[in-house]
Each structure stands twice: as structure tokens, then as C-alpha cells.
């Protein structure tokens, strides 16, 4: 565990957590709009700063986390060397006290580094009719807010419509249509680049913008 403490997490735990939580709230309230995350911290390779800050803000002793098997074996441009899976788990455990599950359907939060490797969003908990809030929230890393399939979002928190094009697999939007149609059940998603977050709650209705 000594190696883990060399990555101390937030430099200013109170204010960094508060600022990160504010960005997450704003992103969820205004789907499709990126919000900066400006926490100061040391980040293990495989995690962007924004996603790492969200982990330290959202995860705690009461939640179960599903960690995508390939997640910690990937490196980021800012951290070119991959982090061993066990070290990554130890870092999250040390700083948040969260528990881990190997079953996606049991997770309160899921950390995703490769959306293309996910067969279906329905693998995760969509909650129940009585408790739709008992669903999984996905924390997903993406390369960019641009160069992906253009999609038009409508729904609560969006004035008229919002066009986005994050770098996610095209079939993700097919999954998302099913997720939206299951409302009030369904998963919620936060997308993270290196320094920003975009909210994609289950209320956001997507319409793929096909080229004419």
C-alpha cells in the first residue's frame, strides 16, 4: 500500500471536491454541454484528470464499482505507461473506500475506457419501476468532443436542441435509444476528456444526424 500513497489524490481535498461536484451537477443538468474540471491532483496512468477527480468525488464506502477489465491497461497521452490493474484498484480503494464487483448489473458506478468493448448498456442495472434511481452511472473516458457521429439531443435541460459529436462508437447511440426509451429506468452517463465532463442523463433523447 506504500506505493499507492505516493499518489495522494486531491491537493486541496475540500475545494477540489466541491468544484468537481459543481461541474458534475452542471453537466447533468445541461446535457451535451462540456464543463471544465480544474482539480489539482496526481493521476494514475489510464485515467484522465477529469475522470480521476470524478472518482474521488463520487465514490465512497457505500458504493460498488465495476472496473472494465481493459480500463487500467490503457495509457493516456499524458501518462504513456499503463498502470497494472491491481494498482489501479488499490488507488481507488485507498482514496475512496469503494467496493468492487465483477458483475456489471450489481454496480452503482462503472468505469469505462473502451465503449466499443461493451456489448450492451443493458448489462448494467437500469433500476426498477419502484426505484429507478438504483441504476448504474457510467464514467466513460473519450478522446474528444469532436470527430464522432453527430447527434442531436433534446430533452430536459436543453433549450430546443443540442448537437454533439463525441468520439464514441456509432452503435453506442443505438444502445442509448433503448436506454432513453426505458425511462424512468435506465443508466446515466458522464463522458470525460482530459479536463472536462459532459453529462448524458437517461432523459436525453438522441437523433443521429445522417449526412444527406
Amino acid at each position: 500500500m506504500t506505493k499507492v500513497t505516493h499518489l495522494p489524490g486531491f491537493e486541496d481535498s475540500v475545494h477540489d471536491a466541491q468544484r468537481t461536484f459543481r461541474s458534475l451537477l452542471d453537466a447533468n443538468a445541461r446535457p451535451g454541454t462540456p464543463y471544465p474540471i480544474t482539480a489539482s491532483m496526481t493521476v494514475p496512468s489510464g485515467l484522465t484528470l477529469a475522470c480521476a477527480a470524478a472518482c474521488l468525488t463520487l465514490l465512497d464506502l457505500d458504493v460498488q464499482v465495476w472496473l472494465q477489465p481493459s480500463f487500467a491497461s490503457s495509457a493516456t497521452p499524458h501518462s504513456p505507461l499503463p498502470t497494472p490493474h491491481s494498482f489501479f484498484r488499490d488507488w481507488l480503494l485507498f482514496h475512496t473506500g469503494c467496493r468492487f464487483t465483477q458483475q456489471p448489473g450489481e454496480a452503482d458506478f462503472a468505469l469505462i475506457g473502451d465503449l466499443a468493448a461493451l456489448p450492451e448498456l443493458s448489462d448494467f442495472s437500469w433500476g426498477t419501476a419502484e426505484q429507478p434511481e438504483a441504476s448504474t452511472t457510467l464514467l466513460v473516458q473519450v478522446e474528444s468532443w469532436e470527430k464522432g457521429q453527430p447527434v442531436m439531443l433534446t430533452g430536459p435541460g436543453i433549450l430546443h436542441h443540442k448537437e454533439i459529436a463525441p468520439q464514441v462508437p456509432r452503435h453506442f447511440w443505438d444502445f442509448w435509444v433503448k436506454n432513453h426509451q426505458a425511462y424512468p429506468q435506465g443508466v446515466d452517463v458522464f463522458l470525460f476528456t482530459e479536463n472536462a465532463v459532459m453529462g448524458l442523463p437517461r432523459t436525453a433523447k438522441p437523433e443521429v444526424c445522417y449526412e444527406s
Side-chain angles (χ1 to χ4, degrees):
M1 192 66 76
T2 302
K3 288 177 62 180
V4 179
T5 60
H6 290 171
L7 295 178
F10 289 136
E11 292 184 9
D12 183 344
S13 59
V14 174
H15 292 98
D16 282 335
Q18 289 176 341
R19 285 191 291 265
T20 299
F21 190 61
R22 181 75 260 175
S23 293
L24 294 170
L25 285 178
D26 288 342
N28 195 57
R30 297 172 180 82
T33 300
Y35 284 85
I37 290 182
T38 58
S40 297
M41 62 184 300
T42 305
V43 181
S45 63
L47 270 180
T48 67
L49 181 145
C51 190
C55 287
L56 298 196
T57 302
L58 297 174
L59 307 185
D60 58 29
L61 295 167
D62 296 325
V63 304
Q64 288 202 104
V65 177
W66 183 78
L67 181 61
Q68 187 176 28
S70 61
F71 190 82
S73 63
S74 62
T76 68
H78 298 276
S79 303
L81 297 177
T83 297
H85 196 269
S86 60
F87 182 89
F88 187 77
R89 285 167 58 96
D90 288 345
W91 184 81
L92 287 175
L93 179 62
F94 179 82
H95 289 293
T96 72
C98 68
R99 294 168 289 131
F100 294 93
T101 178
Q102 295 183 347
Q103 304 301 321
E106 297 177 354
D108 301 297
F109 291 91
L111 270 65
I112 312 296
D114 182 10
L115 274 176
L118 289 181
E120 288 278 357
L121 291 178
S122 57
D123 286 355
F124 301 97
S125 172
W126 286 19
T128 65
E130 295 76 19
Q131 292 183 300
E133 73 279 2
S135 60
T136 307
T137 296
L138 275 59
L139 310 180
V140 180
Q141 297 193 153
V142 298
E143 288 293 326
S144 171
W145 303 133
E146 303 173 348
K147 300 182 180 179
Q149 172 67 53
V151 171
M152 198 73 69
L153 295 181
T154 56
I158 303 171
L159 183 63
H160 304 307
H161 58 265
K162 179 77 174 180
E163 184 174 334
I164 63 172
Q167 287 190 6
V168 301
R170 291 197 177 195
H171 65 259
F172 169 79
W173 297 114
D174 295 329
F175 297 161
W176 191 257
V177 169
K178 298 177 183 177
N179 184 69
H180 171 74
Q181 291 172 344
Y183 181 83
Q185 294 172 248
V187 301
D188 295 317
V189 171
F190 286 109
L191 301 176
F192 298 94
T193 55
E194 180 61 33
N195 295 295
V197 58
M198 178 186 291
L200 196 61
R202 70 195 77 177
T203 55
K205 180 180 180 180
E207 181 178 347
V208 176
C209 304
Y210 293 104
E211 295 181 2
S212 58

